[in-house]
Amino acid sequence: MNGTRKPVHLAVYDTLADWETGHATAHLARAGYPVHTVGPTTDSVTSIGGLRVQPDLALAGLRPEDSSLLVLPGADLWDAGDDLAPFARTARSFLDAGVPVAAICGATAGLAREGLLDDRAHTSAISFYLAATGYAGGERYVEADAVTDGGLVTAGPTEPVAFAREVLGLLGVYEGEVLDAWYRLFHDSDPQAYAVLEKAGAA
């Protein structure tokens, strides 16, 4: 594996939805991307499933130039106040620097509040969930499992596999027929897809 890849940074915070990013981070790690966790501080956080995570890095120390991708999972905290707003502001700095961001579930609402979805095609759990943020991007909402527009991936909470598909495609981990087969295997349990992945050395 390529040991020179910049890390992928996975945001972690209390109430994070721990099922939403596992497909993406596991396959990024297998492709040679170190996965580093970044929290509000380096104090441990607890996911919605009760998993305790010790962040590798505090958000204040994260720089876009040191990263391949920022992944923002959903969390109850996205809709409970402004505690996670600094992560949305960091997403802005990443996108401004040309470094991709992937947001799923409640994190999409955080990006909407930050104005990052006003001019980009995007999706989420449902359109009126984002509309409740008062954002100006309603006309750019797409009814799809996951959407990539430039360097931004968005998805709703029921689409962790589609979310991962977009992330893996964006970073070039899998492409074309292989990416499609990966999705069919993990989303549809299609046994024929495994043969495609095995032939490509991606199984």
Side-chain angles (χ1 to χ4, degrees), residues 7-196:
V8 166
H9 287 92
L10 171 66
V12 295
Y13 20 70
D14 285 332
T15 74
L16 76 94
D18 37 29
W19 67 90
E20 292 177 344
T21 59
H23 286 87
T25 55
H27 288 271
L28 288 169
R30 291 187 69 179
Y33 285 93
V35 178
H36 295 174
T37 53
V38 54
T41 68
T42 54
D43 293 341
S44 66
V45 300
T46 304
S47 78
I48 202 168
L51 301 180
R52 185 171 294 179
V53 181
Q54 186 75 47
D56 298 313
L57 180 70
L59 184 62
L62 178 61
R63 304 185 308 166
E65 59 265 35
D66 297 330
S67 186
S68 292
L69 170 74
L70 175 62
V71 181
L72 299 173
D76 291 345
L77 284 180
W78 282 111
D79 297 317
D82 296 328
D83 286 357
L84 299 186
F87 285 91
R89 290 193 292 270
T90 298
R92 177 181 292 281
S93 72
F94 267 61
L95 292 169
D96 286 348
V99 181
V101 173
I104 185 169
C105 188
T108 61
L111 298 192
R113 293 185 193 98
E114 181 65 19
L116 295 175
L117 305 184
D118 290 352
D119 301 311
R120 293 177 172 91
H122 60 275
T123 194
S124 184
I126 198 163
S127 60
F128 59 74
Y129 170 64
L130 291 186
T133 68
Y135 84 131
E139 292 185 355
R140 305 300 304 275
Y141 189 89
V142 180
E143 295 286 354
D145 53 10
V147 171
T148 300
D149 187 343
L152 179 63
V153 173
T154 51
T158 60
E159 298 295 345
V161 181
F163 180 69
R165 177 196 64 208
E166 297 300 301
V167 167
L168 297 173
L170 184 64
L171 292 188
V173 173
Y174 303 132
E175 297 175 327
E177 178 186 54
V178 176
L179 182 62
D180 177 65
W182 182 91
Y183 179 74
R184 287 189 287 112
L185 177 64
F186 286 95
H187 189 266
D188 304 325
S189 301
D190 181 350
Q192 294 181 339
Y194 184 81
V196 175

